[in-house]
Amino acid sequence: MGRLSGKRALVTGAASGIGRACALAMAREGAELIVTDVDEAGGCETLAMIAGVGGRVRFHLHDVACEEAWKGVLADLDMLHVLVNNAGQCIASPLAETTYEVWRRQLAVNLDGVFFGTKLAMPLLARSGAGSIVNVSSVAGLKGIAGLSGYCASKGAVRLFTKAIALECAQSRNGVRVNSVHPGAIETAIWAKMGHGGSPPADARRRREAMDSARAASATATPLGHAGTPDDIAAGVVFLACDESRFVTGTELVIDGGVMAG
Ligand SMILES: NC(=O)c1ccc[n+]([C@@H]2O[C@H](COP(=O)([O-])OP(=O)(O)OC[C@H]3O[C@@H](n4cnc5c(N)ncnc54)[C@H](O)[C@@H]3O)[C@@H](O)[C@H]2O)c1
């Protein structure tokens, strides 16, 4: 028996990086997966990987910032056990150069997306009798980082939204736990996107340079001396998703190689 056998889990932003690793890890633990993303090609790759390990899975093209899109994804579900609000965008931009569009885009995806998912999936999670919501925040939701004000604002808001909803659920005794995960530097495609307005540079050499420079900066800034992997985050997400964490709600799980320790 896997730790998530008999459970149905939905992961947003599952076409790459942390979301893909979470979906795969939960499938390996026996969960049925619904994976969603705006990236159809990447989402289909994740679907094939999960099917390849024998998992039951379906993919939805889904913009988390769109309430109607959420309603479409959830429409044919009678019950849900786990929701991982993972989809995110990070755009490096000093305040003076931050347009309202860039500010709004990060809040729309990183914060509004978590709000829509949490609100609209809550009745399905409550119906399961033991639901779990895991919101992927960041160390940038725990401390300020120069040049990432919009991202920090969105991830800090996710942290406290998580705690408030955890208390609402506890008060109502609806059986749903709500926690946040705070990754430090994790090597994913987001590194190549963040310095380029949220999309990776088209040129392969520039993408490689962006990844190399972020890897070097992460190694210096991380007490353990290197960046983490998406699987490091997936391990924490599986714990919060499954019944081993049945007494854990409203907490923040920091997985960061020691960054927040000092
Ligand atoms: N990689 C890190 O160093 C790091 C650190 C802290 C937190 N995080 C957070 O982890 C989460 C996953 O990021 P990642 O590192 O795997 O990056 P990633 O870029 O590999 O994955 C993010 C995924 O979100 C999807 N996405 C973006 N906008 C979307 C939208 N509007 N609707 C649906 N999907 C959308 C992308 O297509 C992509 O597949 C994000 O919330 C990110 O902020 C990452």
Side-chain angles (χ1 to χ4, degrees):
M1 279 278 280
R3 293 150 82 204
L4 290 163
S5 289
K7 296 194 189 274
R8 181 185 288 147
L10 192 159
V11 183
T12 68
S16 73
I18 291 170
R20 172 179 284 173
C22 290
L24 260 167
M26 290 199 285
R28 289 199 183 95
E29 291 292 348
E32 173 193 340
L33 261 301
I34 298 155
V35 294
T36 82
D37 208 292
V38 286
D39 172 1
E40 188 162 20
C44 290
E45 270 176 39
T46 301
L47 182 126
M49 291 167 86
I50 293 174
V53 299
R56 275 177 306 155
V57 58
R58 67 191 119 136
F59 169 70
H60 287 276
L61 194 59
H62 171 213
D63 179 351
V64 295
C66 172
E67 184 172 15
E68 289 309 308
W70 268 106
K71 288 180 180 165
V73 168
L74 300 173
D76 61 342
L77 296 180
D78 55 350
M79 195 201 289
L80 188 66
H81 300 86
V82 180
L83 170 65
V84 182
N85 282 313
N86 163 78
Q89 291 192 13
C90 177
I91 303 171
S93 173
L95 181 64
E97 290 162 28
T98 303
T99 60
Y100 183 61
E101 189 272 333
V102 161
W103 169 260
R104 270 307 314 157
R105 179 141 47 103
Q106 290 176 101
L107 287 171
V109 177
N110 301 353
L111 181 58
D112 297 356
V114 174
F115 164 72
F116 289 138
T118 302
K119 179 168 181 189
L120 297 173
M122 191 63 82
L124 299 171
L125 290 155
R127 198 169 299 149
S128 77
S132 172
I133 299 176
V134 184
N135 293 327
V136 180
S137 176
S138 170
V139 293
L142 299 170
K143 64 174 196 157
I145 300 177
L148 292 184
S149 56
Y151 186 69
C152 288
S154 68
K155 293 298 189 179
V158 166
R159 169 179 175 264
L160 284 182
F161 175 76
T162 300
K163 291 181 192 297
I165 301 300
L167 293 177
E168 273 191 33
C169 290
Q171 272 174 10
S172 71
R173 302 278 191 268
N174 73 353
V176 180
R177 298 179 296 104
V178 193
N179 295 288
S180 56
V181 170
H182 298 259
I186 304 297
E187 183 160 345
T188 72
I190 209 168
W191 287 1
K193 300 174 193 170
M194 60 190 284
H196 300 87
S199 307
D203 177 55
R205 187 178 55 81
R206 285 184 63 212
R207 272 203 308 276
R208 217 173 23 253
E209 283 170 4
M211 292 302 288
D212 288 346
S213 110
R215 194 178 302 111
S218 303
T220 309
T222 304
L224 285 184
H226 58 85
T229 69
D231 287 341
D232 293 324
I233 306 306
V237 170
V238 167
F239 168 69
L240 291 173
C242 80
D243 295 337
E244 288 165 17
S245 57
R246 61 186 170 272
F247 199 52
V248 181
T249 197
T251 200
E252 46 198 66
L253 178 57
V254 179
I255 306 175
D256 69 348
V259 167
M260 292 307 302

